[in-house]
Short mmCIF file of all heavy atoms in Angstrom, two decimals:
data_model
loop_
_atom_site.label_atom_id
_atom_site.label_comp_id
_atom_site.label_asym_id
_atom_site.label_seq_id
_atom_site.Cartn_x
_atom_site.Cartn_y
_atom_site.Cartn_z
N MET A 21 5.93 -34.26 0.45
CA MET A 21 6.78 -33.90 1.56
C MET A 21 6.01 -34.09 2.86
O MET A 21 4.85 -33.70 2.95
CB MET A 21 7.20 -32.44 1.47
CG MET A 21 8.15 -32.14 0.36
SD MET A 21 8.63 -30.40 0.40
CE MET A 21 9.18 -30.24 -1.26
N THR A 22 6.67 -34.67 3.81
CA THR A 22 6.04 -34.84 5.11
C THR A 22 7.03 -34.44 6.18
O THR A 22 8.20 -34.26 5.93
CB THR A 22 5.61 -36.31 5.33
OG1 THR A 22 6.78 -37.12 5.23
CG2 THR A 22 4.59 -36.74 4.31
N GLY A 23 6.51 -34.31 7.38
CA GLY A 23 7.39 -34.01 8.49
C GLY A 23 7.30 -32.55 8.89
O GLY A 23 6.63 -31.73 8.26
N ILE A 24 7.97 -32.29 9.98
CA ILE A 24 7.97 -30.96 10.57
C ILE A 24 9.38 -30.39 10.50
O ILE A 24 10.36 -31.10 10.74
CB ILE A 24 7.49 -31.03 12.04
CG1 ILE A 24 6.09 -31.60 12.12
CG2 ILE A 24 7.57 -29.66 12.70
CD1 ILE A 24 5.01 -30.76 11.45
N VAL A 25 9.47 -29.11 10.19
CA VAL A 25 10.75 -28.41 10.13
C VAL A 25 10.74 -27.35 11.23
O VAL A 25 9.75 -26.66 11.43
CB VAL A 25 10.93 -27.75 8.74
CG1 VAL A 25 12.15 -26.85 8.72
CG2 VAL A 25 11.02 -28.82 7.66
N HIS A 26 11.88 -27.23 11.91
CA HIS A 26 12.02 -26.24 12.98
C HIS A 26 12.95 -25.13 12.52
O HIS A 26 14.03 -25.41 12.01
CB HIS A 26 12.57 -26.90 14.24
CG HIS A 26 11.70 -28.01 14.74
ND1 HIS A 26 11.85 -29.30 14.31
CD2 HIS A 26 10.68 -28.00 15.61
CE1 HIS A 26 10.94 -30.05 14.90
NE2 HIS A 26 10.20 -29.29 15.70
N LEU A 27 12.53 -23.91 12.72
CA LEU A 27 13.37 -22.76 12.39
C LEU A 27 13.10 -21.66 13.39
O LEU A 27 12.22 -21.80 14.24
CB LEU A 27 13.11 -22.28 10.95
CG LEU A 27 11.72 -21.76 10.61
CD1 LEU A 27 11.82 -20.78 9.46
CD2 LEU A 27 10.77 -22.89 10.25
N ARG A 28 13.86 -20.59 13.30
CA ARG A 28 13.68 -19.46 14.21
C ARG A 28 13.33 -18.23 13.40
O ARG A 28 13.96 -17.94 12.38
CB ARG A 28 14.94 -19.21 15.02
CG ARG A 28 15.30 -20.39 15.93
CD ARG A 28 16.53 -20.12 16.75
NE ARG A 28 16.30 -19.18 17.81
CZ ARG A 28 15.76 -19.47 19.01
NH1 ARG A 28 15.42 -20.71 19.25
NH2 ARG A 28 15.59 -18.56 19.91
N VAL A 29 12.31 -17.52 13.87
CA VAL A 29 11.90 -16.26 13.26
C VAL A 29 12.03 -15.17 14.33
O VAL A 29 11.33 -15.22 15.35
CB VAL A 29 10.45 -16.32 12.75
CG1 VAL A 29 10.01 -14.96 12.20
CG2 VAL A 29 10.29 -17.41 11.69
N ASP A 30 12.96 -14.27 14.13
CA ASP A 30 13.23 -13.21 15.11
C ASP A 30 13.47 -13.81 16.49
O ASP A 30 13.00 -13.29 17.51
CB ASP A 30 12.09 -12.20 15.15
CG ASP A 30 11.96 -11.44 13.83
OD1 ASP A 30 12.96 -11.29 13.11
OD2 ASP A 30 10.83 -11.00 13.52
N GLY A 31 14.17 -14.93 16.51
CA GLY A 31 14.53 -15.57 17.76
C GLY A 31 13.48 -16.50 18.32
O GLY A 31 13.72 -17.20 19.29
N ARG A 32 12.32 -16.51 17.70
CA ARG A 32 11.23 -17.36 18.19
C ARG A 32 11.24 -18.70 17.45
O ARG A 32 11.26 -18.73 16.22
CB ARG A 32 9.89 -16.65 17.95
CG ARG A 32 8.70 -17.43 18.41
CD ARG A 32 7.43 -16.64 18.22
NE ARG A 32 6.30 -17.45 18.58
CZ ARG A 32 5.05 -17.11 18.36
NH1 ARG A 32 4.77 -15.96 17.80
NH2 ARG A 32 4.08 -17.91 18.70
N GLN A 33 11.22 -19.79 18.20
CA GLN A 33 11.19 -21.12 17.61
C GLN A 33 9.84 -21.36 16.95
O GLN A 33 8.80 -21.12 17.56
CB GLN A 33 11.44 -22.17 18.70
CG GLN A 33 11.60 -23.57 18.18
CD GLN A 33 12.96 -23.82 17.55
OE1 GLN A 33 13.95 -23.25 17.96
NE2 GLN A 33 13.01 -24.67 16.56
N VAL A 34 9.86 -21.83 15.71
CA VAL A 34 8.64 -22.09 14.96
C VAL A 34 8.74 -23.48 14.36
O VAL A 34 9.80 -23.88 13.87
CB VAL A 34 8.45 -21.05 13.83
CG1 VAL A 34 7.17 -21.31 13.05
CG2 VAL A 34 8.44 -19.64 14.39
N ALA A 35 7.66 -24.22 14.37
CA ALA A 35 7.59 -25.53 13.72
C ALA A 35 6.51 -25.48 12.64
O ALA A 35 5.38 -25.11 12.92
CB ALA A 35 7.27 -26.61 14.75
N VAL A 36 6.91 -25.82 11.42
CA VAL A 36 5.96 -25.79 10.31
C VAL A 36 6.11 -27.06 9.49
O VAL A 36 7.11 -27.78 9.59
CB VAL A 36 6.17 -24.55 9.39
CG1 VAL A 36 5.89 -23.27 10.15
CG2 VAL A 36 7.57 -24.54 8.82
N VAL A 37 5.15 -27.33 8.67
CA VAL A 37 5.17 -28.51 7.81
C VAL A 37 6.26 -28.34 6.75
O VAL A 37 6.40 -27.27 6.15
CB VAL A 37 3.80 -28.71 7.14
CG1 VAL A 37 3.83 -29.85 6.14
CG2 VAL A 37 2.72 -28.93 8.19
N ALA A 38 7.04 -29.39 6.54
CA ALA A 38 8.07 -29.37 5.50
C ALA A 38 7.44 -29.00 4.17
O ALA A 38 6.34 -29.43 3.84
CB ALA A 38 8.74 -30.73 5.42
N GLY A 39 8.15 -28.17 3.43
CA GLY A 39 7.63 -27.72 2.15
C GLY A 39 6.93 -26.37 2.23
O GLY A 39 6.62 -25.78 1.20
N SER A 40 6.69 -25.90 3.45
CA SER A 40 6.09 -24.58 3.63
C SER A 40 7.07 -23.51 3.17
O SER A 40 8.29 -23.72 3.19
CB SER A 40 5.75 -24.32 5.10
OG SER A 40 4.82 -25.24 5.59
N SER A 41 6.55 -22.37 2.81
CA SER A 41 7.43 -21.24 2.47
C SER A 41 7.89 -20.56 3.75
O SER A 41 7.23 -20.66 4.80
CB SER A 41 6.71 -20.24 1.58
OG SER A 41 5.69 -19.60 2.32
N VAL A 42 9.00 -19.85 3.65
CA VAL A 42 9.46 -19.06 4.79
C VAL A 42 8.42 -17.98 5.11
O VAL A 42 8.19 -17.67 6.28
CB VAL A 42 10.85 -18.45 4.51
CG1 VAL A 42 11.27 -17.51 5.62
CG2 VAL A 42 11.87 -19.56 4.32
N ALA A 43 7.76 -17.44 4.11
CA ALA A 43 6.71 -16.44 4.36
C ALA A 43 5.60 -17.03 5.23
O ALA A 43 5.10 -16.36 6.13
CB ALA A 43 6.14 -15.94 3.04
N ALA A 44 5.25 -18.27 4.99
CA ALA A 44 4.24 -18.93 5.81
C ALA A 44 4.74 -19.10 7.24
O ALA A 44 3.98 -18.91 8.21
CB ALA A 44 3.86 -20.27 5.21
N ALA A 45 6.02 -19.43 7.39
CA ALA A 45 6.59 -19.58 8.73
C ALA A 45 6.59 -18.25 9.47
O ALA A 45 6.33 -18.20 10.68
CB ALA A 45 8.01 -20.15 8.64
N ILE A 46 6.88 -17.17 8.75
CA ILE A 46 6.85 -15.84 9.37
C ILE A 46 5.45 -15.53 9.86
O ILE A 46 5.25 -15.07 10.99
CB ILE A 46 7.35 -14.77 8.37
CG1 ILE A 46 8.85 -14.93 8.12
CG2 ILE A 46 7.03 -13.36 8.86
CD1 ILE A 46 9.39 -14.08 6.98
N ALA A 47 4.46 -15.80 9.04
CA ALA A 47 3.07 -15.57 9.44
C ALA A 47 2.69 -16.45 10.62
O ALA A 47 2.03 -16.01 11.57
CB ALA A 47 2.14 -15.83 8.26
N HIS A 48 3.15 -17.70 10.59
CA HIS A 48 2.87 -18.63 11.68
C HIS A 48 3.47 -18.12 12.99
O HIS A 48 2.90 -18.33 14.06
CB HIS A 48 3.42 -20.01 11.34
CG HIS A 48 3.07 -21.07 12.31
ND1 HIS A 48 1.78 -21.50 12.51
CD2 HIS A 48 3.84 -21.78 13.16
CE1 HIS A 48 1.77 -22.44 13.44
NE2 HIS A 48 3.01 -22.62 13.85
N ALA A 49 4.60 -17.45 12.90
CA ALA A 49 5.26 -16.90 14.08
C ALA A 49 4.57 -15.62 14.58
O ALA A 49 4.95 -15.08 15.61
CB ALA A 49 6.73 -16.63 13.78
N GLY A 50 3.62 -15.13 13.81
CA GLY A 50 2.93 -13.91 14.20
C GLY A 50 3.71 -12.66 13.87
O GLY A 50 3.43 -11.59 14.40
N ALA A 51 4.67 -12.80 12.97
CA ALA A 51 5.50 -11.65 12.59
C ALA A 51 5.06 -11.13 11.23
O ALA A 51 4.24 -11.74 10.54
CB ALA A 51 6.97 -12.07 12.55
N THR A 52 5.61 -10.00 10.85
CA THR A 52 5.46 -9.49 9.49
C THR A 52 6.85 -9.50 8.86
O THR A 52 7.85 -9.68 9.55
CB THR A 52 4.88 -8.07 9.48
OG1 THR A 52 5.65 -7.25 10.35
CG2 THR A 52 3.42 -8.10 9.93
N ALA A 53 6.91 -9.31 7.56
CA ALA A 53 8.17 -9.54 6.88
C ALA A 53 9.18 -8.41 7.04
O ALA A 53 10.34 -8.66 7.27
CB ALA A 53 7.92 -9.81 5.40
N ARG A 54 8.78 -7.20 6.88
CA ARG A 54 9.78 -6.13 6.89
C ARG A 54 9.11 -4.82 7.26
O ARG A 54 7.91 -4.75 7.48
CB ARG A 54 10.46 -6.00 5.53
CG ARG A 54 9.50 -5.57 4.43
CD ARG A 54 10.19 -5.53 3.06
NE ARG A 54 9.30 -4.91 2.09
CZ ARG A 54 9.25 -3.61 1.84
NH1 ARG A 54 10.07 -2.80 2.46
NH2 ARG A 54 8.41 -3.11 0.99
N GLU A 55 9.90 -3.78 7.29
CA GLU A 55 9.41 -2.46 7.63
C GLU A 55 9.65 -1.54 6.43
O GLU A 55 10.73 -1.56 5.84
CB GLU A 55 10.19 -1.94 8.84
CG GLU A 55 9.47 -0.91 9.64
CD GLU A 55 10.15 -0.70 10.97
OE1 GLU A 55 11.11 0.08 11.01
OE2 GLU A 55 9.70 -1.32 11.95
N SER A 56 8.66 -0.75 6.07
CA SER A 56 8.82 0.17 4.95
C SER A 56 9.69 1.34 5.36
O SER A 56 10.02 1.51 6.54
CB SER A 56 7.45 0.69 4.50
OG SER A 56 6.97 1.63 5.44
N VAL A 57 10.05 2.19 4.41
CA VAL A 57 10.90 3.35 4.72
C VAL A 57 10.20 4.32 5.66
O VAL A 57 10.84 5.11 6.34
CB VAL A 57 11.35 4.08 3.44
CG1 VAL A 57 12.30 3.21 2.63
CG2 VAL A 57 10.16 4.52 2.61
N THR A 58 8.87 4.24 5.74
CA THR A 58 8.13 5.11 6.66
C THR A 58 7.79 4.40 7.97
O THR A 58 7.05 4.93 8.78
CB THR A 58 6.83 5.61 5.99
OG1 THR A 58 6.03 4.49 5.62
CG2 THR A 58 7.13 6.47 4.77
N GLY A 59 8.31 3.18 8.14
CA GLY A 59 8.13 2.48 9.40
C GLY A 59 6.91 1.58 9.48
O GLY A 59 6.62 1.03 10.53
N GLN A 60 6.19 1.43 8.36
CA GLN A 60 5.02 0.55 8.38
C GLN A 60 5.46 -0.90 8.20
O GLN A 60 6.36 -1.20 7.43
CB GLN A 60 4.06 0.92 7.25
CG GLN A 60 3.44 2.28 7.41
CD GLN A 60 2.53 2.61 6.25
OE1 GLN A 60 2.85 2.36 5.10
NE2 GLN A 60 1.39 3.17 6.57
N ARG A 61 4.81 -1.79 8.94
CA ARG A 61 5.11 -3.21 8.82
C ARG A 61 4.50 -3.75 7.53
O ARG A 61 3.38 -3.40 7.18
CB ARG A 61 4.59 -3.98 10.03
CG ARG A 61 5.22 -3.55 11.35
CD ARG A 61 6.72 -3.73 11.37
NE ARG A 61 7.08 -5.14 11.29
CZ ARG A 61 8.30 -5.59 11.06
NH1 ARG A 61 9.30 -4.74 10.90
NH2 ARG A 61 8.54 -6.86 10.99
N ARG A 62 5.25 -4.57 6.82
CA ARG A 62 4.82 -5.13 5.55
C ARG A 62 4.80 -6.65 5.66
O ARG A 62 5.50 -7.23 6.49
CB ARG A 62 5.77 -4.71 4.43
CG ARG A 62 6.07 -3.25 4.39
CD ARG A 62 4.87 -2.40 4.18
NE ARG A 62 4.35 -2.57 2.83
CZ ARG A 62 3.30 -1.92 2.37
NH1 ARG A 62 2.65 -1.07 3.14
NH2 ARG A 62 2.89 -2.13 1.16
N THR A 63 4.05 -7.29 4.78
CA THR A 63 4.01 -8.75 4.79
C THR A 63 3.74 -9.26 3.39
O THR A 63 3.49 -8.47 2.47
CB THR A 63 2.94 -9.25 5.79
OG1 THR A 63 3.13 -10.64 6.01
CG2 THR A 63 1.54 -8.97 5.28
N ALA A 64 3.80 -10.56 3.21
CA ALA A 64 3.61 -11.15 1.89
C ALA A 64 2.28 -10.70 1.30
O ALA A 64 1.25 -10.67 1.97
CB ALA A 64 3.64 -12.67 2.00
N LEU A 65 2.33 -10.36 0.02
CA LEU A 65 1.13 -9.89 -0.67
C LEU A 65 0.80 -10.80 -1.86
O LEU A 65 -0.27 -11.39 -1.90
CB LEU A 65 1.33 -8.44 -1.13
CG LEU A 65 0.18 -7.80 -1.90
CD1 LEU A 65 -1.06 -7.73 -1.01
CD2 LEU A 65 0.56 -6.42 -2.38
N CYS A 66 1.71 -10.91 -2.80
CA CYS A 66 1.40 -11.67 -4.02
C CYS A 66 1.64 -13.17 -3.84
O CYS A 66 0.96 -13.98 -4.46
CB CYS A 66 2.21 -11.14 -5.19
SG CYS A 66 3.97 -11.55 -5.12
N GLY A 67 2.62 -13.53 -3.04
CA GLY A 67 2.94 -14.93 -2.82
C GLY A 67 3.59 -15.62 -4.00
O GLY A 67 3.70 -16.85 -4.03
N MET A 68 4.06 -14.83 -4.99
CA MET A 68 4.68 -15.45 -6.17
C MET A 68 5.90 -14.69 -6.67
O MET A 68 6.27 -14.81 -7.83
CB MET A 68 3.65 -15.61 -7.28
CG MET A 68 3.01 -14.34 -7.70
SD MET A 68 1.74 -14.71 -8.92
CE MET A 68 1.30 -13.06 -9.41
N GLY A 69 6.55 -13.92 -5.79
CA GLY A 69 7.82 -13.34 -6.15
C GLY A 69 7.78 -12.02 -6.90
O GLY A 69 8.81 -11.58 -7.40
N VAL A 70 6.63 -11.40 -6.99
CA VAL A 70 6.50 -10.19 -7.79
C VAL A 70 6.57 -8.90 -6.97
O VAL A 70 7.23 -7.94 -7.36
CB VAL A 70 5.18 -10.22 -8.61
CG1 VAL A 70 4.97 -8.92 -9.36
CG2 VAL A 70 5.18 -11.40 -9.56
N CYS A 71 5.95 -8.87 -5.81
CA CYS A 71 5.78 -7.60 -5.09
C CYS A 71 6.95 -7.22 -4.18
O CYS A 71 7.08 -6.07 -3.79
CB CYS A 71 4.49 -7.63 -4.29
SG CYS A 71 4.55 -8.69 -2.83
N PHE A 72 7.75 -8.15 -3.79
CA PHE A 72 8.91 -7.95 -2.90
C PHE A 72 8.51 -7.50 -1.49
O PHE A 72 9.35 -7.04 -0.73
CB PHE A 72 9.91 -6.94 -3.50
CG PHE A 72 10.70 -7.49 -4.66
CD1 PHE A 72 10.09 -7.76 -5.87
CD2 PHE A 72 12.04 -7.74 -4.53
CE1 PHE A 72 10.81 -8.27 -6.95
CE2 PHE A 72 12.78 -8.25 -5.60
CZ PHE A 72 12.16 -8.51 -6.81
N GLU A 73 7.26 -7.62 -1.13
CA GLU A 73 6.82 -7.20 0.21
C GLU A 73 7.19 -8.20 1.29
O GLU A 73 7.11 -7.90 2.47
CB GLU A 73 5.30 -6.98 0.24
CG GLU A 73 4.82 -5.85 -0.63
CD GLU A 73 5.20 -4.47 -0.10
OE1 GLU A 73 5.90 -4.38 0.93
OE2 GLU A 73 4.81 -3.49 -0.73
N CYS A 74 7.61 -9.38 0.91
CA CYS A 74 7.88 -10.45 1.88
C CYS A 74 9.35 -10.56 2.24
O CYS A 74 9.76 -11.53 2.87
CB CYS A 74 7.40 -11.77 1.30
SG CYS A 74 8.31 -12.23 -0.20
N ARG A 75 10.15 -9.58 1.86
CA ARG A 75 11.60 -9.69 2.06
C ARG A 75 11.99 -9.77 3.54
O ARG A 75 11.41 -9.08 4.38
CB ARG A 75 12.32 -8.52 1.42
CG ARG A 75 12.34 -8.60 -0.10
CD ARG A 75 12.90 -7.36 -0.70
NE ARG A 75 11.94 -6.26 -0.49
CZ ARG A 75 12.24 -4.98 -0.66
NH1 ARG A 75 13.45 -4.63 -0.99
NH2 ARG A 75 11.32 -4.06 -0.47
N ALA A 76 12.99 -10.61 3.80
CA ALA A 76 13.55 -10.75 5.14
C ALA A 76 14.98 -11.26 4.99
O ALA A 76 15.41 -11.63 3.90
CB ALA A 76 12.72 -11.73 5.97
N THR A 77 15.69 -11.27 6.09
CA THR A 77 17.05 -11.82 6.10
C THR A 77 16.96 -13.29 6.49
O THR A 77 16.40 -13.63 7.53
CB THR A 77 17.93 -11.05 7.10
OG1 THR A 77 17.97 -9.67 6.69
CG2 THR A 77 19.34 -11.60 7.14
N VAL A 78 17.49 -14.14 5.65
CA VAL A 78 17.40 -15.59 5.87
C VAL A 78 18.82 -16.16 5.88
O VAL A 78 19.55 -16.03 4.90
CB VAL A 78 16.56 -16.27 4.77
CG1 VAL A 78 16.50 -17.77 4.99
CG2 VAL A 78 15.16 -15.67 4.71
N ASP A 79 19.18 -16.73 7.01
CA ASP A 79 20.53 -17.29 7.18
C ASP A 79 21.61 -16.28 6.78
O ASP A 79 22.58 -16.62 6.09
CB ASP A 79 20.68 -18.59 6.39
CG ASP A 79 19.88 -19.73 7.00
OD1 ASP A 79 19.56 -19.66 8.20
OD2 ASP A 79 19.58 -20.69 6.28
N GLY A 80 21.39 -15.03 7.19
CA GLY A 80 22.37 -13.98 6.96
C GLY A 80 22.30 -13.32 5.59
O GLY A 80 23.04 -12.38 5.33
N ARG A 81 21.45 -13.80 4.73
CA ARG A 81 21.31 -13.21 3.38
C ARG A 81 20.13 -12.24 3.40
O ARG A 81 18.98 -12.66 3.58
CB ARG A 81 21.11 -14.30 2.33
CG ARG A 81 22.33 -15.21 2.16
CD ARG A 81 22.17 -16.17 0.98
NE ARG A 81 20.89 -16.86 0.98
CZ ARG A 81 20.67 -18.03 1.56
NH1 ARG A 81 21.63 -18.66 2.18
NH2 ARG A 81 19.48 -18.59 1.50
N ALA A 82 20.43 -10.96 3.20
CA ALA A 82 19.39 -9.92 3.28
C ALA A 82 18.52 -9.91 2.03
O ALA A 82 18.90 -10.41 0.97
CB ALA A 82 20.06 -8.56 3.47
N GLN A 83 17.33 -9.33 2.21
CA GLN A 83 16.42 -9.04 1.09
C GLN A 83 15.97 -10.30 0.34
O GLN A 83 15.79 -10.26 -0.89
CB GLN A 83 17.07 -8.05 0.12
CG GLN A 83 17.57 -6.77 0.76
CD GLN A 83 16.43 -5.90 1.30
OE1 GLN A 83 15.35 -5.83 0.71
NE2 GLN A 83 16.66 -5.24 2.42
N GLN A 84 15.76 -11.38 1.05
CA GLN A 84 15.28 -12.60 0.41
C GLN A 84 13.76 -12.56 0.30
O GLN A 84 13.08 -12.20 1.26
CB GLN A 84 15.70 -13.83 1.23
CG GLN A 84 17.21 -13.99 1.35
CD GLN A 84 17.87 -14.19 0.02
OE1 GLN A 84 17.57 -15.13 -0.70
NE2 GLN A 84 18.77 -13.28 -0.33
N ARG A 85 13.27 -12.93 -0.87
CA ARG A 85 11.80 -13.01 -1.03
C ARG A 85 11.34 -14.32 -0.41
O ARG A 85 11.51 -15.40 -0.99
CB ARG A 85 11.43 -12.92 -2.51
CG ARG A 85 11.58 -11.52 -3.06
CD ARG A 85 11.31 -11.46 -4.52
NE ARG A 85 12.44 -12.07 -5.23
CZ ARG A 85 12.46 -12.31 -6.54
NH1 ARG A 85 11.42 -12.00 -7.28
NH2 ARG A 85 13.50 -12.86 -7.10
N THR A 86 10.77 -14.21 0.76
CA THR A 86 10.48 -15.41 1.55
C THR A 86 9.33 -16.24 0.99
O THR A 86 9.22 -17.40 1.33
CB THR A 86 10.18 -15.03 3.01
OG1 THR A 86 9.06 -14.15 3.06
CG2 THR A 86 11.40 -14.36 3.66
N CYS A 87 8.53 -15.65 0.12
CA CYS A 87 7.45 -16.45 -0.48
C CYS A 87 8.00 -17.48 -1.45
O CYS A 87 7.31 -18.45 -1.78
CB CYS A 87 6.42 -15.56 -1.17
SG CYS A 87 7.02 -14.73 -2.66
N LEU A 88 9.23 -17.29 -1.89
CA LEU A 88 9.84 -18.20 -2.86
C LEU A 88 10.77 -19.22 -2.21
O LEU A 88 11.25 -20.12 -2.89
CB LEU A 88 10.65 -17.40 -3.90
CG LEU A 88 9.87 -16.38 -4.72
CD1 LEU A 88 10.80 -15.64 -5.67
CD2 LEU A 88 8.74 -17.05 -5.49
N LEU A 89 11.01 -19.06 -0.92
CA LEU A 89 11.97 -19.92 -0.23
C LEU A 89 11.26 -20.99 0.59
O LEU A 89 10.45 -20.66 1.46
CB LEU A 89 12.83 -19.10 0.73
CG LEU A 89 13.93 -18.23 0.16
CD1 LEU A 89 14.60 -17.47 1.29
CD2 LEU A 89 14.93 -19.09 -0.58
N PRO A 90 11.60 -22.25 0.38
CA PRO A 90 11.07 -23.29 1.27
C PRO A 90 11.83 -23.28 2.60
O PRO A 90 13.01 -22.92 2.64
CB PRO A 90 11.32 -24.58 0.49
CG PRO A 90 12.48 -24.27 -0.40
CD PRO A 90 12.40 -22.80 -0.72
N VAL A 91 11.17 -23.66 3.64
CA VAL A 91 11.82 -23.72 4.95
C VAL A 91 12.85 -24.84 4.97
O VAL A 91 12.76 -25.80 4.20
CB VAL A 91 10.79 -23.95 6.09
CG1 VAL A 91 9.89 -22.75 6.25
CG2 VAL A 91 10.01 -25.23 5.86
N ALA A 92 13.83 -24.69 5.86
CA ALA A 92 14.85 -25.73 6.06
C ALA A 92 15.12 -25.83 7.55
O ALA A 92 15.01 -24.83 8.28
CB ALA A 92 16.13 -25.38 5.31
N GLU A 93 15.47 -27.01 8.00
CA GLU A 93 15.74 -27.25 9.41
C GLU A 93 16.85 -26.32 9.90
O GLU A 93 17.89 -26.18 9.24
CB GLU A 93 16.14 -28.71 9.63
CG GLU A 93 16.29 -29.10 11.07
CD GLU A 93 14.96 -29.12 11.82
OE1 GLU A 93 13.90 -29.37 11.20
OE2 GLU A 93 14.98 -28.86 13.03
N GLY A 94 16.60 -25.65 11.02
CA GLY A 94 17.60 -24.79 11.64
C GLY A 94 17.75 -23.41 11.00
O GLY A 94 18.63 -22.63 11.39
N MET A 95 16.90 -23.08 10.08
CA MET A 95 16.98 -21.79 9.38
C MET A 95 16.78 -20.65 10.38
O MET A 95 16.02 -20.76 11.32
CB MET A 95 15.88 -21.77 8.31
CG MET A 95 15.92 -20.67 7.32
SD MET A 95 14.61 -20.96 6.08
CE MET A 95 15.61 -21.51 4.72
N GLU A 96 17.50 -19.55 10.13
CA GLU A 96 17.37 -18.34 10.97
C GLU A 96 16.80 -17.22 10.10
O GLU A 96 17.40 -16.86 9.09
CB GLU A 96 18.73 -17.91 11.52
CG GLU A 96 19.31 -18.85 12.54
CD GLU A 96 18.71 -18.66 13.93
OE1 GLU A 96 18.09 -17.61 14.17
OE2 GLU A 96 18.87 -19.58 14.74
N VAL A 97 15.67 -16.69 10.52
CA VAL A 97 14.99 -15.65 9.77
C VAL A 97 14.90 -14.40 10.62
O VAL A 97 14.51 -14.47 11.80
CB VAL A 97 13.57 -16.10 9.35
CG1 VAL A 97 12.86 -14.99 8.58
CG2 VAL A 97 13.64 -17.38 8.54
N ARG A 98 15.29 -13.28 10.06
CA ARG A 98 15.16 -11.99 10.76
C ARG A 98 14.29 -11.08 9.91
O ARG A 98 14.55 -10.88 8.73
CB ARG A 98 16.52 -11.34 11.00
CG ARG A 98 17.30 -11.97 12.14
CD ARG A 98 18.54 -11.18 12.52
NE ARG A 98 19.49 -11.10 11.43
CZ ARG A 98 19.84 -9.94 10.83
NH1 ARG A 98 19.34 -8.80 11.23
NH2 ARG A 98 20.70 -9.95 9.84
N THR A 99 13.28 -10.51 10.51
CA THR A 99 12.39 -9.61 9.76
C THR A 99 12.75 -8.16 9.98
O THR A 99 12.22 -7.29 9.31
CB THR A 99 10.92 -9.83 10.16
OG1 THR A 99 10.73 -9.43 11.52
CG2 THR A 99 10.52 -11.27 9.98
N ARG A 100 13.63 -7.89 10.94
CA ARG A 100 14.03 -6.51 11.23
C ARG A 100 15.55 -6.40 11.17
O ARG A 100 16.25 -7.31 11.57
CB ARG A 100 13.56 -6.09 12.61
CG ARG A 100 12.07 -6.11 12.74
CD ARG A 100 11.67 -5.95 14.19
NE ARG A 100 10.25 -6.23 14.33
CZ ARG A 100 9.37 -5.33 14.70
NH1 ARG A 100 9.75 -4.11 14.99
NH2 ARG A 100 8.09 -5.65 14.79
N GLY A 101 15.99 -5.24 10.74
CA GLY A 101 17.44 -4.97 10.73
C GLY A 101 18.12 -5.86 9.81
O GLY A 101 19.10 -6.38 9.75
S1 FES B 2 4.85 -12.01 -1.43
FE1 FES B 2 5.22 -10.85 -3.22
S2 FES B 2 7.30 -11.26 -3.66
FE2 FES B 2 6.88 -12.49 -1.96
#
């Protein structure tokens, strides 16, 4: 895979290499994935779909494990709410 993919993370435009995970794009944007029930910011931990710490809303679908999702052009990612 080659090329650059553009997506938005919490409204911020991000450009990453095609084939990257959404979790990588979130990290590239300087964001974290979600907030715990006690308000702590969480981020990808296992990177293989086991821990669920990387969940975010992707194109309107809540609770997506972003470490398992490849980026796509024009994707909208929300880490809060
Ligand atoms: S980083 Fe563990 S499930 Fe995604």
Side-chain angles (χ1 to χ4, degrees):
M21 291 182 200
T22 59
I24 300 296
V25 172
H26 301 89
L27 63 154
R28 296 181 73 82
V29 177
D30 295 333
R32 180 177 175 189
Q33 187 77 32
V34 180
V36 296
V37 174
S40 299
S41 68
V42 174
I46 290 170
H48 186 66
T52 52
R54 65 184 189 89
E55 204 167 84
S56 74
V57 293
T58 59
Q60 295 178 317
R61 298 300 295 168
R62 311 299 292 181
T63 194
L65 179 62
C66 72
M68 58 184 187
V70 175
C71 73
F72 287 69
E73 295 289 3
C74 63
R75 287 173 290 166
T77 300
V78 179
D79 289 338
R81 294 187 312 269
Q83 307 293 324
Q84 299 298 301
R85 286 176 287 172
T86 60
C87 69
L88 300 178
L89 284 178
V91 293
E93 187 68 29
M95 190 175 255
E96 291 280 343
V97 179
R98 283 190 298 117
T99 66
R100 298 169 191 245

